[in-house]
Amino acid sequence: MEKDGAAATPGELTVHRRALKAITGIRFFAAFYVVLFHTRMGRSMAEHGMVRAGYFFGNGYLAVPLFFLLSGFILAYTYAGQIDKPGGYRRFWEARFARIWPVYALSMVLASIPHANFASGWDVAASVLMVQAWNPFRVGIAGAGNIVCWTLSVEALFYVIFPWVQTWVERRSLSAAAWATGAMLAVCLGLNTASRTLGYEAYGVFQWAPLAPLHVPEFLTGVGLGNYFLRRLMGRQARGRNGLITYGSMLAAVVWLCRPGDRWTSVVVVAFAGVILGLAEERTLVSRFLSTQTMVLAGGISYSVYLMQMPVKSWVMTGTEAIGLRSEVGRLGLTAVALIVVSWVLFRWVEDPARRVLRSGFAALEERRMGRTGV
């Protein structure tokens, strides 16, 4: 059994447990699933008689709830036992800011450049503060700036509430936490949260419901799963090797993604939860593949892949029109290659360095605070 803990290193805000590499690797496929959703692939396949494949690619937006589940799972796994310490909340928020804001802000700027489509006034302020998906009076501004950034605004709400949620879960028994997680899954199904994406047809109270709180149950489900997994790990229970959870959940997810959206679309959240738990707990061919160095790197750049898909798509469209390339397949291939290259460059030269600088700066401030208080 591997030890789940590690000593803190200089400049780090928190102690990090051993990496769940398969969980990192799957993020790349989730990000590209969204990228393909924003193409004509789904419609094209449906037009050529491949209806189920058309549904599958047309449901690419459902990778977003998978990201929300992953976020809750990883945060719980990483920060369990560290939040409820002096300065723990603040240190968590500093670490999250350092992780997501630099590339987020850069993507906003780059998304506005191609067509000089700059947001204005309060929309800019909301985007900078990452609260554009929180406003019940102006639900439509969620997609201001870089349209895909509405999901990062949702994540920002998750980060605000996570310290209190995690503290509450840690003070409960494993069975109580499991019941709470099941309740959150039931809420996901009852509200059909997975279908609540940017521009969905809203009726009744949902017309005034901002996107951010609607997806909180998905995040809380992930938090519950992360705590459940970690307590099993701490209890030194054997890790499964038969792949039943992994393969069964993956099959269920694919089957559900190959059908049209309806009242029961959010059943896929249950399947995604199983996939995450299976990849974390079981050693299978899938988990070994996702844990390879290449896939871990791909998972590392997935954040930039997700954020930069619209700017890169616009740049490729402009460039191919200039040279007379009209092939949809050709444009898709160029976009995929360009997106991977741009994302790797941002990961290597912007995201990772900015995160290190900010985290080191916050850690230095923390040391000064401790020195002043004599802790």
Side-chain angles (χ1 to χ4, degrees):
M1 181 71 182
E2 297 177 58
K3 293 182 179 180
D4 78 299
T9 55
E12 288 290 336
L13 291 167
T14 55
V15 176
H16 291 285
R17 296 181 168 87
R18 64 175 177 82
L20 300 176
K21 294 181 179 180
I23 298 295
T24 300
I26 199 174
R27 294 176 65 90
F28 177 78
F29 290 102
F32 252 94
Y33 191 26
V34 179
V35 172
L36 292 174
F37 165 71
H38 286 127
T39 69
R40 293 190 70 259
M41 183 172 290
R43 281 176 292 174
S44 178
M45 287 188 167
E47 290 168 358
H48 287 82
M50 294 177 283
V51 178
R52 294 296 174 185
Y55 286 145
F56 179 82
F57 289 104
N59 283 328
Y61 71 95
L62 292 174
V64 170
L66 174 57
F67 277 121
F68 294 158
L69 286 167
L70 285 168
S71 180
F73 185 92
I74 290 298
L75 290 182
Y77 176 76
T78 302
Y79 290 97
Q82 302 184 71
I83 290 293
D84 198 18
K85 293 180 179 180
Y89 286 26
R90 180 182 63 249
R91 288 157 67 87
F92 167 76
W93 289 324
E94 290 171 346
R96 289 293 89 198
F97 177 83
R99 170 69 179 87
I100 70 170
W101 198 82
V103 176
Y104 166 87
L106 179 60
S107 77
M108 280 285 189
V109 173
L110 294 177
S112 302
I113 289 176
H115 304 292
N117 184 28
F118 296 97
S120 60
W122 289 109
D123 292 0
V124 172
S127 297
V128 169
L129 296 173
M130 302 182 73
V131 296
Q132 66 268 37
W134 297 19
N135 193 335
F137 304 105
R138 294 191 62 197
V139 176
I141 71 166
N146 185 357
I147 192 171
V148 301
C149 282
W150 74 267
T151 62
L152 274 300
S153 177
V154 175
E155 288 277 356
L157 178 60
F158 298 163
Y159 299 155
V160 169
I161 67 174
F162 173 74
W164 287 282
V165 172
Q166 181 60 30
T167 300
W168 183 90
V169 172
E170 288 179 15
R171 294 172 179 172
R172 300 298 181 276
S173 66
L174 182 59
S175 60
W179 276 105
T181 302
M184 287 300 99
L185 268 177
V187 173
C188 292
L189 295 175
L191 297 181
N192 200 14
T193 58
S195 68
R196 312 298 178 182
T197 188
L198 194 67
Y200 76 96
E201 291 187 36
Y203 302 97
V205 295
F206 289 107
Q207 297 178 68
W208 297 278
L211 287 167
L214 287 176
H215 291 280
V216 167
E218 296 159 6
F219 173 72
L220 296 182
T221 298
V223 172
L225 286 174
N227 279 281
Y228 172 77
F229 168 70
L230 185 56
R231 292 189 195 186
R232 282 174 57 88
L233 185 69
M234 295 286 283
R236 298 180 181 275
Q237 295 188 33
R239 299 177 71 195
R241 296 173 183 273
N242 58 14
L244 181 62
I245 299 175
T246 302
Y247 295 129
S249 298
M250 290 182 67
L251 177 60
V254 171
V255 168
W256 214 253
L257 291 169
C258 289
R259 59 189 296 279
D262 59 16
R263 176 68 184 80
W264 299 105
T265 293
S266 292
V267 169
V268 78
V269 175
V270 181
F272 285 158
V275 170
I276 293 170
L277 196 59
L279 290 177
E281 285 215 25
E282 299 178 332
R283 295 180 179 177
T284 61
L285 289 175
V286 174
S287 66
R288 287 199 291 270
F289 168 69
L290 292 174
S291 299
T292 60
Q293 187 175 359
T294 299
M295 289 312 306
V296 170
L297 174 60
I301 71 171
S302 64
Y303 181 54
S304 292
V305 166
Y306 180 80
L307 287 176
M308 290 301 299
Q309 58 181 295
M310 291 306 182
V312 170
K313 181 180 178 181
S314 180
W315 300 342
V316 170
M317 182 69 71
T318 301
T320 54
E321 286 180 351
I323 63 175
L325 178 61
R326 298 288 186 267
S327 169
E328 289 288 339
V329 175
R331 284 178 172 174
L332 179 59
L334 287 173
T335 300
V337 172
L339 185 54
I340 290 173
V341 171
V342 169
S343 299
W344 181 85
V345 170
L346 289 181
F347 176 77
R348 179 70 175 81
W349 299 106
V350 177
E351 181 181 345
D352 199 39
R355 180 171 65 246
R356 292 176 185 275
V357 168
L358 287 171
R359 287 173 69 94
S360 295
F362 287 136
L365 287 174
E366 187 68 21
E367 290 177 1
R368 286 200 287 271
R369 291 191 197 104
M370 294 175 66
R372 286 197 300 269
T373 58
V375 177

